[in-house]
PDB file of all heavy atoms in Angstrom:
ATOM      1  N   ARG I  67      -8.452  15.442  18.657  1.00 98.00           N
ATOM      2  CA  ARG I  67      -7.313  15.582  17.750  1.00 98.00           C
ATOM      3  C   ARG I  67      -6.801  17.022  17.623  1.00 98.00           C
ATOM      4  O   ARG I  67      -5.610  17.277  17.728  1.00 98.00           O
ATOM      5  CB  ARG I  67      -7.683  15.073  16.343  1.00 98.00           C
ATOM      6  CG  ARG I  67      -7.861  13.567  16.263  1.00 98.00           C
ATOM      7  CD  ARG I  67      -8.143  13.129  14.827  1.00 98.00           C
ATOM      8  NE  ARG I  67      -7.096  13.575  13.924  1.00 98.00           N
ATOM      9  CZ  ARG I  67      -5.941  12.945  13.722  1.00 98.00           C
ATOM     10  NH1 ARG I  67      -5.696  11.816  14.356  1.00 98.00           N
ATOM     11  NH2 ARG I  67      -5.047  13.442  12.899  1.00 98.00           N
ATOM     12  N   ASP I  68      -7.725  17.939  17.385  1.00 98.00           N
ATOM     13  CA  ASP I  68      -7.299  19.299  17.054  1.00 98.00           C
ATOM     14  C   ASP I  68      -7.202  20.206  18.273  1.00 98.00           C
ATOM     15  O   ASP I  68      -6.346  21.072  18.336  1.00 98.00           O
ATOM     16  CB  ASP I  68      -8.268  19.934  16.039  1.00 98.00           C
ATOM     17  CG  ASP I  68      -8.178  19.288  14.659  1.00 98.00           C
ATOM     18  OD1 ASP I  68      -7.318  18.404  14.483  1.00 98.00           O
ATOM     19  OD2 ASP I  68      -8.971  19.663  13.780  1.00 98.00           O
ATOM     20  N   LYS I  76      -8.275   8.263  15.309  1.00 98.00           N
ATOM     21  CA  LYS I  76      -8.106   8.610  13.889  1.00 98.00           C
ATOM     22  C   LYS I  76      -9.395   9.004  13.189  1.00 98.00           C
ATOM     23  O   LYS I  76     -10.479   8.502  13.519  1.00 98.00           O
ATOM     24  CB  LYS I  76      -7.506   7.417  13.128  1.00 98.00           C
ATOM     25  CG  LYS I  76      -6.188   6.896  13.673  1.00 98.00           C
ATOM     26  CD  LYS I  76      -5.106   7.957  13.711  1.00 98.00           C
ATOM     27  CE  LYS I  76      -3.786   7.369  14.173  1.00 98.00           C
ATOM     28  NZ  LYS I  76      -2.868   8.397  14.670  1.00 98.00           N
ATOM     29  N   TYR I  77      -9.219   9.808  12.160  1.00 98.00           N
ATOM     30  CA  TYR I  77     -10.302  10.115  11.225  1.00 98.00           C
ATOM     31  C   TYR I  77     -10.214   9.157  10.045  1.00 98.00           C
ATOM     32  O   TYR I  77      -9.133   8.970   9.484  1.00 98.00           O
ATOM     33  CB  TYR I  77     -10.160  11.549  10.707  1.00 98.00           C
ATOM     34  CG  TYR I  77     -11.050  11.831   9.508  1.00 98.00           C
ATOM     35  CD1 TYR I  77     -12.393  12.166   9.686  1.00 98.00           C
ATOM     36  CD2 TYR I  77     -10.566  11.717   8.206  1.00 98.00           C
ATOM     37  CE1 TYR I  77     -13.219  12.397   8.586  1.00 98.00           C
ATOM     38  CE2 TYR I  77     -11.388  11.941   7.102  1.00 98.00           C
ATOM     39  CZ  TYR I  77     -12.711  12.278   7.299  1.00 98.00           C
ATOM     40  OH  TYR I  77     -13.530  12.495   6.218  1.00 98.00           O
ATOM     41  N   GLY I  78     -11.360   8.556   9.667  1.00 98.00           N
ATOM     42  CA  GLY I  78     -11.346   7.713   8.483  1.00 98.00           C
ATOM     43  C   GLY I  78     -12.493   7.989   7.530  1.00 98.00           C
ATOM     44  O   GLY I  78     -12.377   7.775   6.335  1.00 98.00           O
ATOM     45  N   LEU I  83     -18.844   5.059   9.557  1.00 98.00           N
ATOM     46  CA  LEU I  83     -18.800   3.956   8.597  1.00 98.00           C
ATOM     47  C   LEU I  83     -17.511   3.143   8.669  1.00 98.00           C
ATOM     48  O   LEU I  83     -17.408   2.100   8.019  1.00 98.00           O
ATOM     49  CB  LEU I  83     -18.957   4.503   7.167  1.00 98.00           C
ATOM     50  CG  LEU I  83     -20.299   5.162   6.842  1.00 98.00           C
ATOM     51  CD1 LEU I  83     -20.199   5.960   5.544  1.00 98.00           C
ATOM     52  CD2 LEU I  83     -21.394   4.101   6.738  1.00 98.00           C
ATOM     53  N   ASN I 133       1.771  -9.483  15.306  1.00 97.00           N
ATOM     54  CA  ASN I 133       2.087  -8.488  14.265  1.00 97.00           C
ATOM     55  C   ASN I 133       0.847  -8.195  13.429  1.00 97.00           C
ATOM     56  O   ASN I 133       0.870  -8.272  12.198  1.00 97.00           O
ATOM     57  CB  ASN I 133       3.201  -9.000  13.346  1.00 97.00           C
ATOM     58  CG  ASN I 133       4.588  -8.641  13.862  1.00 97.00           C
ATOM     59  OD1 ASN I 133       4.742  -7.842  14.784  1.00 97.00           O
ATOM     60  ND2 ASN I 133       5.604  -9.230  13.255  1.00 97.00           N
ATOM     61  N   ALA I 135      -0.782  -5.409  12.837  1.00 98.00           N
ATOM     62  CA  ALA I 135      -0.840  -4.174  12.043  1.00 98.00           C
ATOM     63  C   ALA I 135      -0.067  -4.293  10.744  1.00 98.00           C
ATOM     64  O   ALA I 135       0.985  -4.928  10.680  1.00 98.00           O
ATOM     65  CB  ALA I 135      -0.284  -3.001  12.856  1.00 98.00           C
ATOM     66  N   ASP I 164     -17.448 -11.152  14.145  1.00 98.00           N
ATOM     67  CA  ASP I 164     -17.991 -10.511  12.941  1.00 98.00           C
ATOM     68  C   ASP I 164     -18.932  -9.366  13.326  1.00 98.00           C
ATOM     69  O   ASP I 164     -18.848  -8.266  12.773  1.00 98.00           O
ATOM     70  CB  ASP I 164     -18.797 -11.522  12.099  1.00 98.00           C
ATOM     71  CG  ASP I 164     -17.891 -12.385  11.219  1.00 98.00           C
ATOM     72  OD1 ASP I 164     -16.665 -12.159  11.223  1.00 98.00           O
ATOM     73  OD2 ASP I 164     -18.423 -13.286  10.536  1.00 98.00           O
ATOM     74  N   TYR I 177      -7.830  -8.434   8.757  1.00 98.00           N
ATOM     75  CA  TYR I 177      -8.924  -9.120   9.478  1.00 98.00           C
ATOM     76  C   TYR I 177      -8.566 -10.504  10.017  1.00 98.00           C
ATOM     77  O   TYR I 177      -8.934 -10.831  11.147  1.00 98.00           O
ATOM     78  CB  TYR I 177     -10.170  -9.212   8.594  1.00 98.00           C
ATOM     79  CG  TYR I 177     -10.680  -7.879   8.086  1.00 98.00           C
ATOM     80  CD1 TYR I 177     -10.815  -7.635   6.726  1.00 98.00           C
ATOM     81  CD2 TYR I 177     -11.026  -6.854   8.969  1.00 98.00           C
ATOM     82  CE1 TYR I 177     -11.284  -6.408   6.250  1.00 98.00           C
ATOM     83  CE2 TYR I 177     -11.484  -5.635   8.496  1.00 98.00           C
ATOM     84  CZ  TYR I 177     -11.609  -5.419   7.135  1.00 98.00           C
ATOM     85  OH  TYR I 177     -12.070  -4.215   6.668  1.00 98.00           O
ATOM     86  N   ARG I 179      -5.827 -11.647  11.123  1.00 98.00           N
ATOM     87  CA  ARG I 179      -4.998 -11.535  12.330  1.00 98.00           C
ATOM     88  C   ARG I 179      -5.743 -10.869  13.475  1.00 98.00           C
ATOM     89  O   ARG I 179      -5.510 -11.180  14.639  1.00 98.00           O
ATOM     90  CB  ARG I 179      -3.709 -10.773  12.017  1.00 98.00           C
ATOM     91  CG  ARG I 179      -2.825 -11.556  11.070  1.00 98.00           C
ATOM     92  CD  ARG I 179      -1.426 -11.020  11.054  1.00 98.00           C
ATOM     93  NE  ARG I 179      -0.726 -11.555   9.890  1.00 98.00           N
ATOM     94  CZ  ARG I 179       0.586 -11.712   9.824  1.00 98.00           C
ATOM     95  NH1 ARG I 179       1.346 -11.376  10.840  1.00 98.00           N
ATOM     96  NH2 ARG I 179       1.139 -12.193   8.739  1.00 98.00           N
TER      97      ARG I 179
ATOM     98  N   THR G 493       0.338   0.293  18.326  1.00 98.00           N
ATOM     99  CA  THR G 493      -0.693  -0.211  19.249  1.00 98.00           C
ATOM    100  C   THR G 493      -0.973   0.755  20.397  1.00 98.00           C
ATOM    101  O   THR G 493      -1.933   0.544  21.146  1.00 98.00           O
ATOM    102  CB  THR G 493      -0.307  -1.586  19.825  1.00 98.00           C
ATOM    103  OG1 THR G 493       0.990  -1.485  20.436  1.00 98.00           O
ATOM    104  CG2 THR G 493      -0.292  -2.652  18.738  1.00 98.00           C
ATOM    105  N   ASP G 502      -1.401  13.303  11.429  1.00 98.00           N
ATOM    106  CA  ASP G 502      -1.193  13.520  12.867  1.00 98.00           C
ATOM    107  C   ASP G 502      -0.190  14.621  13.191  1.00 98.00           C
ATOM    108  O   ASP G 502      -0.060  15.018  14.349  1.00 98.00           O
ATOM    109  CB  ASP G 502      -0.696  12.219  13.531  1.00 98.00           C
ATOM    110  CG  ASP G 502      -1.727  11.111  13.481  1.00 98.00           C
ATOM    111  OD1 ASP G 502      -2.929  11.426  13.395  1.00 98.00           O
ATOM    112  OD2 ASP G 502      -1.332   9.934  13.525  1.00 98.00           O
ATOM    113  N   ARG G 504       1.537  17.923  14.014  1.00 97.00           N
ATOM    114  CA  ARG G 504       1.057  19.193  14.564  1.00 97.00           C
ATOM    115  C   ARG G 504       2.227  20.142  14.720  1.00 97.00           C
ATOM    116  O   ARG G 504       3.284  19.758  15.202  1.00 97.00           O
ATOM    117  CB  ARG G 504       0.401  18.964  15.937  1.00 97.00           C
ATOM    118  CG  ARG G 504      -0.860  18.112  15.858  1.00 97.00           C
ATOM    119  CD  ARG G 504      -1.342  17.700  17.245  1.00 97.00           C
ATOM    120  NE  ARG G 504      -1.661  18.847  18.108  1.00 97.00           N
ATOM    121  CZ  ARG G 504      -2.810  19.511  18.055  1.00 97.00           C
ATOM    122  NH1 ARG G 504      -3.746  19.162  17.202  1.00 97.00           N
ATOM    123  NH2 ARG G 504      -3.035  20.534  18.874  1.00 97.00           N
ATOM    124  N   THR G 565     -10.193  21.377  12.144  1.00 98.00           N
ATOM    125  CA  THR G 565     -10.707  20.690  10.956  1.00 98.00           C
ATOM    126  C   THR G 565     -12.228  20.776  10.868  1.00 98.00           C
ATOM    127  O   THR G 565     -12.793  20.944   9.788  1.00 98.00           O
ATOM    128  CB  THR G 565     -10.289  19.204  10.996  1.00 98.00           C
ATOM    129  OG1 THR G 565      -8.901  19.134  11.325  1.00 98.00           O
ATOM    130  CG2 THR G 565     -10.510  18.530   9.652  1.00 98.00           C
ATOM    131  N   ARG G 720     -13.101  11.840   3.547  1.00 98.00           N
ATOM    132  CA  ARG G 720     -13.290  10.615   2.757  1.00 98.00           C
ATOM    133  C   ARG G 720     -14.037  10.931   1.466  1.00 98.00           C
ATOM    134  O   ARG G 720     -13.755  10.351   0.419  1.00 98.00           O
ATOM    135  CB  ARG G 720     -14.051   9.562   3.580  1.00 98.00           C
ATOM    136  CG  ARG G 720     -14.238   8.235   2.851  1.00 98.00           C
ATOM    137  CD  ARG G 720     -12.902   7.596   2.447  1.00 98.00           C
ATOM    138  NE  ARG G 720     -12.062   7.368   3.606  1.00 98.00           N
ATOM    139  CZ  ARG G 720     -10.762   7.080   3.542  1.00 98.00           C
ATOM    140  NH1 ARG G 720     -10.140   6.993   2.380  1.00 98.00           N
ATOM    141  NH2 ARG G 720     -10.061   6.899   4.643  1.00 98.00           N
ATOM    142  N   GLU G 938       7.430 -13.268   7.423  1.00 97.00           N
ATOM    143  CA  GLU G 938       6.250 -12.900   8.197  1.00 97.00           C
ATOM    144  C   GLU G 938       5.501 -11.751   7.511  1.00 97.00           C
ATOM    145  O   GLU G 938       4.272 -11.738   7.439  1.00 97.00           O
ATOM    146  CB  GLU G 938       6.711 -12.528   9.609  1.00 97.00           C
ATOM    147  CG  GLU G 938       5.618 -12.396  10.630  1.00 97.00           C
ATOM    148  CD  GLU G 938       4.932 -11.063  10.550  1.00 97.00           C
ATOM    149  OE1 GLU G 938       5.598 -10.043  10.236  1.00 97.00           O
ATOM    150  OE2 GLU G 938       3.721 -11.029  10.756  1.00 97.00           O
ATOM    151  N   ARG G 939       6.257 -10.768   6.993  1.00 97.00           N
ATOM    152  CA  ARG G 939       5.603  -9.650   6.290  1.00 97.00           C
ATOM    153  C   ARG G 939       5.119 -10.069   4.899  1.00 97.00           C
ATOM    154  O   ARG G 939       4.191  -9.484   4.364  1.00 97.00           O
ATOM    155  CB  ARG G 939       6.532  -8.440   6.187  1.00 97.00           C
ATOM    156  CG  ARG G 939       6.661  -7.625   7.467  1.00 97.00           C
ATOM    157  CD  ARG G 939       5.368  -6.960   7.923  1.00 97.00           C
ATOM    158  NE  ARG G 939       4.570  -7.801   8.820  1.00 97.00           N
ATOM    159  CZ  ARG G 939       3.414  -7.448   9.371  1.00 97.00           C
ATOM    160  NH1 ARG G 939       2.889  -6.258   9.146  1.00 97.00           N
ATOM    161  NH2 ARG G 939       2.756  -8.271  10.154  1.00 97.00           N
ATOM    162  N   GLU G 945      -1.992 -11.862   2.799  1.00 98.00           N
ATOM    163  CA  GLU G 945      -3.305 -11.776   3.452  1.00 98.00           C
ATOM    164  C   GLU G 945      -4.010 -10.485   3.029  1.00 98.00           C
ATOM    165  O   GLU G 945      -5.182 -10.480   2.639  1.00 98.00           O
ATOM    166  CB  GLU G 945      -3.142 -11.798   4.982  1.00 98.00           C
ATOM    167  CG  GLU G 945      -2.650 -13.147   5.516  1.00 98.00           C
ATOM    168  CD  GLU G 945      -2.039 -13.057   6.927  1.00 98.00           C
ATOM    169  OE1 GLU G 945      -2.152 -12.006   7.579  1.00 98.00           O
ATOM    170  OE2 GLU G 945      -1.425 -14.061   7.357  1.00 98.00           O
ATOM    171  N   ALA G 978     -14.184  -4.648   1.780  1.00 98.00           N
ATOM    172  CA  ALA G 978     -14.335  -5.825   2.638  1.00 98.00           C
ATOM    173  C   ALA G 978     -14.247  -5.427   4.111  1.00 98.00           C
ATOM    174  O   ALA G 978     -13.439  -4.581   4.498  1.00 98.00           O
ATOM    175  CB  ALA G 978     -13.257  -6.851   2.313  1.00 98.00           C
ATOM    176  N   ARG G 979     -15.086  -6.025   4.878  1.00 98.00           N
ATOM    177  CA  ARG G 979     -15.083  -5.855   6.335  1.00 98.00           C
ATOM    178  C   ARG G 979     -14.885  -7.225   6.961  1.00 98.00           C
ATOM    179  O   ARG G 979     -14.802  -8.228   6.251  1.00 98.00           O
ATOM    180  CB  ARG G 979     -16.418  -5.258   6.795  1.00 98.00           C
ATOM    181  CG  ARG G 979     -16.637  -3.834   6.292  1.00 98.00           C
ATOM    182  CD  ARG G 979     -18.065  -3.365   6.541  1.00 98.00           C
ATOM    183  NE  ARG G 979     -18.258  -1.991   6.071  1.00 98.00           N
ATOM    184  CZ  ARG G 979     -18.025  -0.910   6.815  1.00 98.00           C
ATOM    185  NH1 ARG G 979     -17.624  -1.040   8.084  1.00 98.00           N
ATOM    186  NH2 ARG G 979     -18.218   0.295   6.321  1.00 98.00           N
ATOM    187  N   ARG G 985     -13.083 -15.942   5.912  1.00 96.00           N
ATOM    188  CA  ARG G 985     -12.843 -16.312   7.315  1.00 96.00           C
ATOM    189  C   ARG G 985     -11.407 -16.755   7.523  1.00 96.00           C
ATOM    190  O   ARG G 985     -10.784 -16.489   8.518  1.00 96.00           O
ATOM    191  CB  ARG G 985     -13.730 -17.483   7.668  1.00 96.00           C
ATOM    192  CG  ARG G 985     -14.826 -17.358   8.608  1.00 96.00           C
ATOM    193  CD  ARG G 985     -14.920 -17.111   9.984  1.00 96.00           C
ATOM    194  NE  ARG G 985     -16.061 -16.275  10.299  1.00 96.00           N
ATOM    195  CZ  ARG G 985     -17.163 -16.710  10.888  1.00 96.00           C
ATOM    196  NH1 ARG G 985     -17.289 -17.954  11.237  1.00 96.00           N
ATOM    197  NH2 ARG G 985     -18.118 -15.875  11.156  1.00 96.00           N
TER     198      ARG G 985
END
Side-chain angles (χ1 to χ4, degrees):
Chain I
R67 290 183 56 83
D68 291 356
K76 304 302 184 200
Y77 167 83
L83 295 166
N133 271 349
D164 278 357
Y177 303 123
R179 294 196 195 206
Chain G
T493 55
D502 295 335
R504 295 170 60 81
T565 313
R720 182 59 58 194
E938 192 279 326
R939 283 296 90 179
E945 292 161 10
R979 294 169 179 272
R985 248 293 143 107

